[in-house]
Amino acid sequence: MSIAVIFDMDGTLFDTEAVFQKYWNAIAKERGIVLPDAFKYEICGTSGEVMNRIIEKHYRVKDGTEIQRECKQRVAKELSRGVPLKPGCREILASLHARGIPMAIGSSGPRAQIESNLSVSGLTSYFSAIASGDEVLHGKPAPDIFLLAAKRLGVPPADCCVFEDSPNGIRAAHAAGMKPILIPDLMPVTEEIASLTVGVYKVLTDALEELVAGD
């Protein structure tokens, strides 16, 4: 097993990608825009200026900052009332924690939202470090978020396993020299993305069985 495990948040630990898509589409509708299916594939796993460029293209605006902020505010309000978990979330965290495996969150989301989601879901104590999209210059698919998470854990990148649901997240983990594990959510699994992983699993606990084999 790797010395440390880094988890993406939205779509990997928390079943929140659908919440984001609901508000992306609501904001678009308010502006008389119908977003194509391609939008969710492009926006998933991004942050900062990369996200802004995607927003600007699909919403036909010069600056995506305000739309990005508005969507995140609406999502934050909904998630403050409860955060839906992905299947196997509590089980994999408890099992890794019991084995003494250090864990971090490496998410494109803002740090305040990460901390809120962990608090609302009661999962804060499992994580030794957090690396967020608003703490790095380049968001996923650049490796910056995961490299920061490894640095904060005090573990070499090569000794880190990364759980992700999005192609951009898998690309980021691979670029960081880590071991990417894909748990698909909204995005289809392509041959290209599968080739960058050490495994593709339906749910988190399926991957856990592989991680702890031979322990």
Side-chain angles (χ1 to χ4, degrees):
M1 181 187 289
S2 296
I3 292 174
V5 178
I6 302 171
F7 288 93
D8 170 55
M9 182 177 69
D10 295 303
T12 301
L13 288 179
F14 301 132
D15 195 8
T16 47
E17 284 295 355
V19 179
F20 276 94
Q21 293 305 319
K22 177 173 75 173
Y23 289 112
W24 287 128
N25 282 282
I27 293 169
K29 185 177 180 180
E30 291 163 11
R31 292 168 171 260
I33 295 168
V34 177
L35 295 174
D37 285 343
F39 173 80
K40 66 181 178 183
Y41 302 137
E42 292 179 37
I43 202 81
C44 189
T46 66
S47 62
E49 290 307 308
V50 173
M51 179 178 282
N52 276 345
R53 299 296 87 78
I54 297 166
I55 292 169
E56 288 155 14
K57 179 174 74 171
H58 288 282
Y59 289 79
R60 301 190 287 276
V61 294
K62 289 185 177 180
D63 185 355
T65 303
E66 184 54 41
I67 291 174
Q68 181 179 163
R69 184 184 301 115
E70 176 66 20
C71 182
K72 289 179 178 179
Q73 286 175 347
R74 295 189 193 189
V75 169
K77 185 176 180 179
E78 179 164 331
L79 296 183
S80 69
R81 300 190 290 266
V83 181
L85 304 184
K86 295 290 287 185
C89 173
R90 291 191 189 279
E91 291 84 349
I92 194 170
L93 296 180
S95 182
L96 293 174
H97 181 72
R99 288 174 167 81
I101 304 298
M103 293 178 279
I105 292 286
S107 169
S108 298
R111 187 179 183 95
Q113 187 64 58
I114 296 170
E115 292 176 344
S116 175
N117 286 356
L118 293 177
S119 176
V120 170
S121 60
L123 300 179
T124 303
S125 62
Y126 285 117
F127 297 97
S128 304
I130 291 172
S132 63
D134 53 7
E135 296 180 297
V136 296
L137 184 59
H138 304 291
K140 304 171 187 177
D144 303 31
I145 290 171
F146 292 135
L147 292 174
L148 179 60
K151 180 179 179 180
R152 288 178 172 171
L153 285 173
V155 176
D159 291 334
C160 294
C161 219
V162 175
F163 282 80
E164 262 286 356
D165 71 291
S166 75
N168 280 329
I170 292 296
R171 292 185 184 106
H174 183 265
M178 301 178 179
K179 302 176 183 70
I181 292 177
L182 178 63
I183 313 292
D185 185 36
L186 297 181
M187 312 282 281
V189 181
T190 65
E191 288 186 14
E192 177 230 340
I193 293 303
S195 72
L196 301 180
T197 75
V198 296
V200 180
Y201 303 93
K202 280 190 174 183
V203 296
L204 290 163
T205 43
D206 289 346
L208 177 62
E209 293 173 9
E210 293 293 328
L211 277 176
V212 301
D215 249 21

